[in-house]
Amino acid sequence: ITELKASSDLSLLTGIVEGQPIPFIPDYSYIIGGDANWQIGGGLEIFANAAYTYTGQYNVFIDGEPGSRANPELGDFGVLDFAVGLRNDDWVVDFRVKNALDERDFNQASPTTEVIEGALGFNYLPAGVPEDFMDDWQSVLPRRYELTFRYMF
């Protein structure tokens, strides 16, 4: 299911338009990954893994025409993660890189102001700011590194 089906009663209450894309459901997404392990003796094993996650375009809200300022299209980005490490039966130490290519795309937008105004019952936007303004934008986290040590007991 990637499109909304709306009854006439529901459409009047929510602004849902039949056939409009469901928010946060991309047309395409996939993950490609792999793992490798090498025994090096003495009960030790070196391991490595990588995964590439692609997220296609998607809309983030129900109101407004898809792709409009009130319902922007986000997505169409990929994130590469990888790890290398050493382990035995008792412990694991690994080094991970998340978002190794440092992809910088927005993956969330919401009309926080509109929600707050609805709760407060009045408009507090400054003059000149359009009512369909998306004011809460969140992005894919930037590249980051992790060093982890785990001990099993």
Side-chain angles (χ1 to χ4, degrees):
I1 298 173
T2 60
E3 292 183 350
L4 296 169
K5 302 280 188 221
S7 70
S8 58
D9 293 337
L10 185 61
S11 294
L12 288 174
L13 295 174
T14 64
I16 292 173
V17 176
E18 187 160 334
Q20 189 170 14
I22 298 173
F24 299 105
I25 306 293
D27 287 336
Y28 302 99
S29 63
Y30 59 85
I31 299 173
I32 298 173
D35 293 303
N37 302 298
W38 300 274
Q39 297 293 329
I40 58 172
L44 293 175
E45 178 181 74
I46 294 175
F47 66 91
N49 59 56
Y52 179 80
T53 304
Y54 172 79
T55 302
Q57 285 189 329
Y58 55 89
N59 293 92
V60 296
F61 205 56
I62 292 176
D63 288 345
E65 188 67 30
S68 68
R69 189 170 57 205
N71 189 6
E73 286 183 342
L74 301 180
D76 193 22
F77 61 86
V79 175
L80 175 66
D81 300 330
F82 68 85
V84 294
L86 182 66
R87 64 181 161 217
N88 70 11
D89 291 336
D90 297 324
W91 53 265
V92 178
V93 63
D94 61 37
F95 175 73
R96 298 180 180 276
V97 179
K98 305 283 187 130
N99 191 6
L101 302 176
D102 203 23
E103 184 70 36
R104 300 289 181 104
D105 281 291
F106 290 108
N107 64 356
Q108 169 70 285
S110 62
T112 304
T113 302
E114 184 177 317
V115 172
I116 292 170
E117 286 174 356
L120 296 176
F122 64 89
N123 183 343
Y124 73 93
L125 280 173
V129 176
E131 288 184 22
D132 58 0
F133 180 64
M134 292 287 185
D135 56 353
D136 180 20
W137 292 84
Q138 299 172 24
S139 65
V140 175
L141 290 172
R143 181 185 306 126
R144 56 206 182 279
Y145 306 95
E146 297 176 3
L147 181 61
T148 307
F149 178 76
R150 292 183 296 269
Y151 184 78
M152 283 65 81
F153 54 94

